[in-house]
Amino acid sequence: MITMGCEDNIPRDRPTFNNSSITSSSATTEEEEETEEETDETVVEMTRPDGAIVIQPGSCACNKAGEAISVGNCKEYCSSVSNPPDPDTFYFDVQVTTAISETYLQDVAGFCSTQTGIDPEDETASCYIEVKDQNGNTLDPIGFQPAAGKTKFSIPVSNLGKDTTYRLSIVEANTGARSTSTQLRMDEDIIVDNIGGPLALMPVNQYACMFRSGEFDQNTGELFVTAVNRFHFYFTSESRPEPLLPSSLPSVNCYDMQTYGNTPINSPLLEETTNSFTVWNKNDPRFYQLDGSEELRVHELIKQELELQGQTVQENIVLFETFQWPSGINDGDESIGSDSEASTPTTITSEVGFYMTPFLDTSNYKAYCPTRYHYESSNPLFKAMKEIVAVDTEGLYAAKQDNVCDFILIKESLLKQIWFYIEGGQHIQPTEQTVAGKKVQFYWPADTNSPYIKKSHQRVYTLKAATEISCGDNSNTSSGSNDGSGNRTNFPTHDKRIACIPKLVN
């Protein structure tokens, strides 16, 4: 059930854009031969600034019927377009920097036209749209004659093929100065994200049940208790467990009997902790296989975004997995609470939501969970995840109570405040460099103020890897990992994290 690990070397340089970082390109002119008549006229070389026209994100290609034909959230935009000039038209917006707006050029039209009295008489400025395919080949240019004062433009793209990613730029013919570039990919079967925005989230709640084991008195029907243990379970707001049957109380109770009496209730539950951690909401439509596909829609959208970047994706993307975990007690078994013997109640495993498989940095083979730092990098997969994931993520860990088969789940931001390993009789806080190969433990319930002093009400828990989560026949074991391309491997996480989950504050 649990999978782990995903790998990639993450670029450390965050891309930045600086409006003032503009260079100029100039056309070289041959020196004019001296004539018999001397002149005081000076030839001014035609210049144009590079990168001063910035093509904005959100461009769309639409057909004559007002349907989106390019990858991206273009359905609403294309439906609003009236009387497109060509059967297949590409629409885009631009902004200009001060290198244009505060000079004689003024706008895109000025950039693409000759300025009387300034540009040389023997050179005429003009622009075209440069088109390069995903292999870097330059195709036939597309004509471009912008009108004065305009920032919204359209060009015909009927001659461009489907299922190919193109990079388009505005280029001035004489100087070679160019705008920033934008990408266009027209697919036969474009997947439109009708939901839009980041994936929906779901908080997960924790509670406990007290299990009693022993023998029933054949005469009185009372349970002679020999042991009592606490076990933890997890649920979401829509799947709150039902109250147990009164007949189950001799063996197990999941609420505070001293406060609420002998009639079982399900709110509040014993030691109920709301928002223990967060997962992705399983009810988000993008976590379903839609339109007959064998892939989750979220994986199709990420794959499509990768292709838009010009990446070749031959295998299916697998980043998200269903998160299944024990959520409560099944007391429908007639043997539970019977007067013949004390039997062990069975547990119910539920689908809590979705988690992301951890990533693996192949430079040091340490696992990590992506954040905005990664989404802003040049890594194609993280760039493809930026809009649909959007949130920082953190690790999720599983830990087992010493001498009791009780597992709890704990998020990274809390764990790293209380974890330790024992060495030389001392509590030592692990680091990224020392955690691997250590028996990492913590005291629970958590006490972040004095995490290394065990109180009488606390129990010792030890971190377990995904393949170690097992109690008899109830096994939550599977292995796997992801690399930066979404492919699965089997390399274990160095710190035993079992998943990546959304990281939320308060």
Side-chain angles (χ1 to χ4, degrees), residues 42-94:
T42 302
V43 176
V44 179
E45 192 176 38
M46 181 193 296
T47 61
R48 294 292 185 271
D50 258 335
I53 299 176
V54 182
I55 301 180
Q56 300 299 294
S59 51
C60 292
C62 313
N63 62 18
K64 207 168 184 65
E67 299 170 333
I69 57 174
S70 63
V71 174
N73 296 321
C74 295
K75 181 178 180 180
E76 183 177 350
Y77 177 84
C78 289
S79 64
S80 66
V81 173
S82 59
N83 300 321
D86 298 282
D88 295 337
T89 303
F90 181 60
Y91 299 88
F92 62 98
D93 296 350
V94 304

Side-chain angles (χ1 to χ4, degrees), residues 116-373:
T116 304
I118 299 178
D119 292 333
E121 294 181 358
D122 60 347
E123 293 187 11
T124 302
S126 63
C127 287
Y128 63 89
I129 302 295
E130 180 186 78
V131 182
K132 289 189 176 183
D133 64 17
Q134 56 198 26
N135 297 318
N137 301 317
T138 302
L139 308 183
D140 292 338
I142 300 174
F144 183 63
Q145 295 180 331
K150 298 294 185 182
T151 58
K152 298 180 182 293
F153 305 101
S154 64
I155 57 173
V157 290
S158 300
N159 292 332
L160 299 182
K162 304 296 191 293
D163 299 323
T164 300
T165 301
Y166 299 97
R167 185 174 295 275
L168 310 180
S169 304
I170 301 171
V171 179
E172 200 285 308
N174 283 292
T175 63
R178 61 180 57 240
S179 69
T180 62
S181 61
T182 187
Q183 293 184 113
L184 167 65
R185 184 181 180 88
M186 297 186 295
D187 284 347
E188 296 289 353
D189 299 310
I190 296 172
I191 302 172
V192 178
D193 184 7
N194 293 322
I195 306 301
L199 296 165
L201 309 180
M202 176 65 74
V204 179
N205 310 309
Q206 174 185 278
Y207 73 103
C209 291
M210 304 299 294
F211 286 73
R212 304 176 188 86
S213 59
E215 297 181 357
F216 279 92
D217 189 302
Q218 299 294 331
N219 298 319
T220 64
E222 294 182 357
L223 177 67
F224 178 72
V225 178
T226 58
V228 179
N229 286 309
R230 176 188 285 102
F231 291 85
H232 290 86
F233 300 94
Y234 297 86
F235 69 97
T236 61
S237 58
E238 67 176 8
S239 60
R240 177 176 287 275
E242 296 181 359
L244 297 179
L245 298 174
S247 59
S248 297
L249 293 183
S251 297
V252 59
N253 72 285
C254 301
Y255 72 102
D256 188 343
M257 295 180 63
Q258 293 184 346
T259 301
Y260 299 103
N262 293 324
T263 301
I265 61 174
N266 69 339
S267 182
L269 293 164
L270 185 64
E271 299 177 3
E272 181 173 331
T273 303
T274 59
N275 300 340
S276 179
F277 58 91
T278 304
V279 294
W280 282 276
N281 191 335
K282 64 181 181 179
N283 295 316
D284 191 307
R286 292 166 290 188
F287 284 120
Y288 287 84
Q289 297 168 330
L290 304 179
D291 302 326
S293 173
E294 296 181 357
E295 295 182 74
L296 298 180
R297 177 52 53 88
V298 59
H299 292 149
E300 291 181 315
L301 290 169
I302 293 175
K303 181 178 180 180
Q304 182 173 263
E305 185 62 30
L306 280 169
E307 292 173 342
L308 178 61
Q309 298 177 39
Q311 303 297 316
T312 300
V313 185
Q314 297 179 342
E315 299 181 3
N316 292 340
I317 299 293
V318 181
L319 293 177
F320 294 93
E321 298 277 2
T322 57
F323 191 86
Q324 296 182 341
W325 199 265
S327 60
I329 305 301
N330 180 8
D331 63 352
D333 189 341
E334 294 180 356
S335 66
I336 296 177
S338 67
D339 57 6
S340 58
E341 59 178 336
S343 61
T344 302
T346 59
T347 61
I348 301 172
T349 297
S350 300
E351 183 179 301
V352 179
F354 276 78
Y355 69 91
M356 183 191 299
T357 51
F359 284 77
L360 193 68
D361 188 339
T362 53
S363 67
N364 54 24
Y365 287 91
K366 288 182 170 55
Y368 66 94
C369 294
T371 65
R372 288 180 179 86
Y373 172 82

